Amino acid sequence: MHYSELKPFGPDFLWGASTSAYQVEGGWDADGKGPSVIDVRTSYPEGTSDYKVAADHYHRFREDVAMMADMKLRAYRFCIAWTRIIPDGDGEVNPAGVKFYHDLIDELLAAGIEPIITMYHFDLPAALDEKGGWGNPATADAFVRFGEVIFAEYGSKVTYWLTINEQNMMILYGNAIGTTTLTGDEGMRDLYRQNHLMFLAQARVMARCHELLPSAKIGPAPNISLVYPNSCAPEDILAAADWNAVRNWLYLDLAVFGRYHHLAWAYLVKKGWAPEVTEEDLAILKSGKPDFVAFNYYATQTVAGPTGTAADLSNRPGDQQIVQGEVGIYRAMKNPHLPTNAFGWEIDPVGFRNEFNALWDRYHLPLLVTENGLGAFDELTPDGKVHDDYRIDYLKRHLQQLQLALTDGVEILGYCPWSAIDLVSTHQGVKKRYGFIHVNRDEFDLLDLKRTRKESSYWYERLITTGHGLED
Ligand code: BG6
């Protein structure tokens, strides 16, 4: 639909930016922090840094918050590292870790920035992993207890809580993210069992949050890539429905409705990967309800019917945004209408609007964008600036579509692109930069870690303060 007038962004719109603990904080063993699965990892993608120092936000958070305040951010979405609060995941609470997040939250509130807290962003305590990780039901108990600790500590200061970041990526790319070391059917059965136990943990934590903090709001934060059919061929429509169910709706249907999507369940049964689900589980799943749906959006995906052999279902290496194809399910297609970024991810601003509408139509819960952004090889030029006009263009095109979705009637709480400051990416290390704020370090040379606002941060500030910047 075209409109001659657009709905304005409301005064409470959460203009924000995001990070995660392990990608930005550093201080991996500082002040009693325990190791997470990320810290004990022994190998990283070739040519990329580990996460031990990252952007050193742990030691420089006051300077970082001051820069976010300069940008006039109204929200900052960050993750509380479970291992800073409870170093071994389920034992003693670490007072220094608790203090760190009090200090950070206080600094944000003093600057008028709303904290939005992710409880878990890929960084499981290593001690829990040794005891079976999410495959051990005791991990769900430990997660609920971790929730109780942080709700009690920060609940009077924090309204918005996110449960688990990108549970779907932890399952679909479990070997890459470290959710399992098993492969083949055994690995997939393990992953989908972990997946089920994570849903139970999430439902319990949402219920507990509502009991302890009646005015708080909590929701899941999956990575949603709307799946397009490659054509109007009925087989393509069917393949898109199947892959949408397995990649996207499975995660949100469980979080919102407390049930498995029928196509996703049929897929799990067909594959022999379906977890055991008891009556008690179903009751737990129904007991925890989200107040909103948060989601990370980078791109859409395009699929056709699963013709062909395993070898030609996809001709591109898969990662979180690049479809792979699966025998008997779907064939991965490149969308000829979309450009790609330097890392091969398709760029689809209109897909953002399509996705808002699909999510609103399905769940009718307010939506919060917790990630969206452009990974690029940014350069600090001799004039001391980062001229990331390509990022401004990316963000502008996505926000134009977000405003169209608002005008369509979708309820949108806010926009927190990835990322507030440069951090270590999950697959391509430091060189793949996302931040509004440049951090002066190389992949392996920490240099001086100096912060510099990129041109995109000035554009974003102007948009937040004046409402201008989305015009073509
Ligand atoms: C999301 C994650 O998958 O995408 C982030 O929540 C991640 O942790 C972001 O950094 C971008 O992915 P990448 O691989 O480019 O860092």
Side-chain angles (χ1 to χ4, degrees):
M1 235 183 294
H2 292 208
Y3 299 105
S4 50
E5 232 177 277
L6 294 176
K7 189 169 173 184
F9 294 95
D12 298 330
F13 190 79
L14 296 167
W15 291 104
S18 293
T19 62
S20 78
Y22 80 93
Q23 291 175 278
V24 79
E25 283 181 0
W28 71 284
D29 61 352
D31 303 328
K33 179 180 175 297
S36 74
V37 287
I38 312 279
D39 302 320
V40 299
R41 217 193 257 181
T42 49
S43 71
Y44 297 89
E46 199 182 337
T48 64
S49 158
D50 61 27
Y51 297 88
K52 293 198 162 52
V53 177
D56 200 30
H57 177 69
Y58 182 72
H59 297 109
R60 297 164 194 248
F61 73 92
R62 290 188 202 279
E63 180 188 351
D64 293 339
V65 173
M67 291 185 98
M68 293 180 210
D70 279 351
M71 284 174 63
K72 311 292 185 300
L73 289 193
R74 303 214 182 121
Y76 174 46
R77 176 235 175 176
F78 62 96
C79 172
I80 290 188
W82 187 343
T83 50
R84 260 190 222 292
I85 304 293
I86 306 175
D88 63 0
D90 62 357
E92 297 286 307
V93 171
N94 172 32
V98 170
K99 179 174 180 309
F100 170 70
Y101 292 108
H102 271 300
D103 290 347
L104 173 59
I105 292 167
D106 291 346
E107 199 77 7
L108 290 167
L109 293 175
I113 302 174
E114 180 87 40
I116 299 176
I117 292 183
T118 314
M119 300 178 62
Y120 178 73
H121 194 126
F122 305 159
D123 53 351
L124 187 69
L128 293 184
D129 191 49
E130 279 162 24
K131 292 189 247 173
W134 286 105
N136 179 351
T139 296
D141 297 338
F143 185 61
V144 175
R145 174 169 169 255
F146 166 57
E148 289 168 346
V149 171
I150 60 177
F151 296 150
E153 285 292 341
Y154 311 118
S156 61
K157 306 175 182 180
V158 174
T159 302
Y160 293 97
W161 300 84
L162 308 167
T163 53
I164 298 178
N165 178 73
E166 295 196 352
Q167 182 174 327
N168 51 344
M169 296 301 98
M170 283 189 279
I171 301 309
L172 294 164
Y173 303 100
N175 288 107
I177 296 178
T179 324
T180 192
T181 49
L182 301 173
T183 53
D185 281 335
E186 197 189 0
M188 296 314 292
R189 259 191 299 278
D190 176 42
L191 282 168
Y192 279 104
R193 182 165 170 277
Q194 293 192 47
N195 196 37
H196 185 68
L197 295 172
M198 267 190 245
F199 285 124
L200 295 176
Q202 171 171 269
R204 287 172 60 195
V205 115
M206 291 194 292
R208 201 71 187 112
C209 179
H210 289 135
E211 276 163 23
L212 296 172
L213 306 173
S215 51
K217 298 190 183 310
I218 189 163
N223 175 309
I224 301 296
S225 276
L226 194 65
V227 181
Y228 294 152
N230 189 52
S231 76
C232 54
E235 292 74 13
D236 292 359
I237 312 282
L238 204 57
D242 284 342
W243 187 237
N244 249 324
V246 173
R247 192 199 185 283
N248 298 317
W249 310 144
L250 180 144
Y251 296 86
L252 286 174
D253 280 16
L254 271 153
V256 178
F257 306 133
R259 61 168 188 250
Y260 277 86
H261 187 288
H262 70 286
L263 287 174
W265 185 254
Y267 166 90
L268 293 176
V269 171
K270 161 190 155 77
K271 296 276 197 174
W273 303 339
E276 190 196 336
V277 180
T278 66
E279 285 301 315
E280 194 194 340
D281 292 352
L282 292 174
I284 293 172
L285 289 170
K286 290 217 181 293
S287 71
K289 297 270 180 223
D291 302 290
F292 60 87
V293 166
F295 68 104
N296 301 344
Y297 174 81
Y298 289 92
T300 47
Q301 303 196 336
T302 302
V303 306
T307 50
T309 63
D312 68 357
L313 278 174
S314 169
N315 53 10
R316 300 193 294 160
D319 76 9
Q320 60 170 27
Q321 294 313 141
I322 301 180
V323 270
Q324 283 169 299
E326 215 174 315
V327 178
I329 313 291
Y330 71 96
R331 169 194 280 270
M333 303 302 287
K334 174 146 183 27
N335 189 327
H337 305 285
L338 302 177
T340 50
N341 72 15
F343 297 88
W345 293 11
E346 285 169 349
I347 300 178
D348 185 5
V350 178
F352 199 25
R353 179 182 180 188
N354 286 328
E355 187 157 306
F356 275 115
N357 279 301
L359 288 168
W360 178 247
D361 189 34
R362 255 190 110 70
Y363 302 109
H364 257 268
L365 285 172
L367 301 175
L368 175 65
V369 180
T370 39
E371 287 182 34
N372 171 237
L374 183 70
F377 296 102
D378 295 339
E379 213 192 318
L380 186 62
T381 45
D383 60 0
K385 296 185 174 173
V386 178
H387 300 277
D388 57 342
D389 43 310
Y390 39 87
R391 180 167 293 109
I392 295 174
D393 184 67
Y394 178 99
L395 296 172
K396 174 174 143 182
R397 305 233 163 271
H398 282 79
L399 276 162
Q400 286 172 336
Q401 296 298 323
L402 184 152
Q403 193 172 14
L404 283 161
L406 263 185
T407 312
D408 289 333
V410 179
E411 194 180 331
I412 305 175
L413 297 173
Y415 178 69
C416 298
W418 192 255
S419 53
I421 80 174
D422 280 347
L423 39 70
V424 187
S425 90
T426 54
H427 293 95
Q428 284 99 357
V430 172
K431 62 183 155 306
K432 185 186 198 181
R433 293 176 184 268
Y434 282 93
F436 282 116
I437 297 169
H438 180 267
V439 174
N440 193 37
R441 64 161 286 186
D442 283 342
E443 203 65 59
F444 298 104
D445 187 342
L446 293 175
L447 303 174
D448 59 6
L449 293 160
K450 182 171 178 283
R451 275 61 171 148
T452 305
R453 281 182 58 177
K454 300 181 192 175
E455 294 298 297
S456 57
S457 79
Y458 294 102
W459 169 83
Y460 198 44
E461 176 185 343
R462 179 166 164 263
L463 176 64
I464 295 170
T465 53
T466 69
H468 293 295
L470 298 185
E471 308 79 13
D472 270 323

